[in-house]
Amino acid sequence: MTDATLSRITLDTHTSDAATQRLKARYRSEAIFKGLGLGAVLLAMAFLAVFLTTIVREAFPAFTQHYLALPIDLKAEEFNPRNETGAALTTAVNAGNFDGQVTNGLRALFPAVTDRVERRSLSNIVSSGAPSILRRDAVANPAWVGTPRTYQAPLDDMADLYLKGQVTD
């Protein structure tokens, strides 16, 4: 039965001019489809590159932080009242008034600020965690007791954002 159906098909059926035109049109459509697919993929990659570039450019300032150099003086009579050494010195240093040290450092940098409201605003320039950071660093470095030094206090988030150009108020 299969022999009978095969004998009817002639070889010139798929090589006629009409079949050749249909085959060319199919190949042309396939090439257009492939080109459009490649164009869509390239366009998506371009948008992705722009998107990632924007994210990195906008997020980069988050990896930087501004500091204010404050003069501090961890006086031995305040931070080591009994002239202790070792663990006792660490306890004495840990109990010191680091909030006052940061405030005094700010007032030393800005002596013209005398009004109570302005002094309160001035204290908002440095981070609220600056005294804790100073305490941690002083405990780690007991040699700081009794020596005046310049301490890099981190700025408050709004002051930091202002210097980065993120806020204008």
Side-chain angles (χ1 to χ4, degrees):
M1 188 127 133
T2 56
D3 294 335
T5 56
L6 286 178
S7 64
R8 289 190 208 166
I9 299 175
T10 60
L11 296 176
D12 62 343
T13 305
H14 296 292
T15 58
S16 68
D17 289 336
T20 305
Q21 292 298 334
R22 286 191 306 268
L23 188 61
K24 285 181 181 178
R26 191 175 350 143
Y27 286 157
R28 186 173 39 250
S29 297
E30 185 178 347
I32 291 171
F33 183 71
K34 283 182 178 179
L36 289 174
L38 180 62
V41 168
L42 292 175
L43 183 64
M45 288 175 60
F47 279 123
L48 182 63
V50 168
F51 180 63
L52 289 177
T53 303
T54 304
I55 288 174
V56 169
R57 183 173 36 94
E58 293 294 323
F60 185 72
F63 295 107
T64 61
Q65 185 174 9
H66 291 91
Y67 292 88
L68 181 63
L70 294 178
I72 60 165
D73 186 12
L74 303 177
K75 296 178 182 169
E77 58 271 6
E78 293 176 15
F79 292 92
N80 192 3
R82 292 183 292 256
N83 199 14
E84 297 156 334
T85 59
L89 173 63
T90 302
T91 304
V93 169
N94 203 14
N97 181 11
F98 293 96
D99 291 322
Q101 286 294 317
V102 171
T103 302
N104 291 341
L106 279 171
R107 289 182 182 167
L109 277 180
F110 302 99
V113 177
T114 56
D115 185 43
R116 184 171 189 241
V117 175
E118 291 175 349
R119 282 193 315 222
R120 185 181 272 293
S121 296
L122 182 64
S123 66
N124 290 334
I125 290 177
V126 294
S127 171
S128 60
S132 298
I133 296 169
L134 176 59
R135 174 181 287 118
R136 183 193 65 209
D137 292 346
V139 168
N141 302 304
W144 287 13
V145 174
T147 59
R149 61 186 330 99
T150 301
Y151 180 70
Q152 300 292 327
L155 289 180
D156 183 61
D157 55 350
M158 291 307 287
D160 190 45
L161 288 173
Y162 177 77
L163 290 176
K164 291 176 182 176
Q166 302 290 323
V167 293
T168 56
D169 293 342

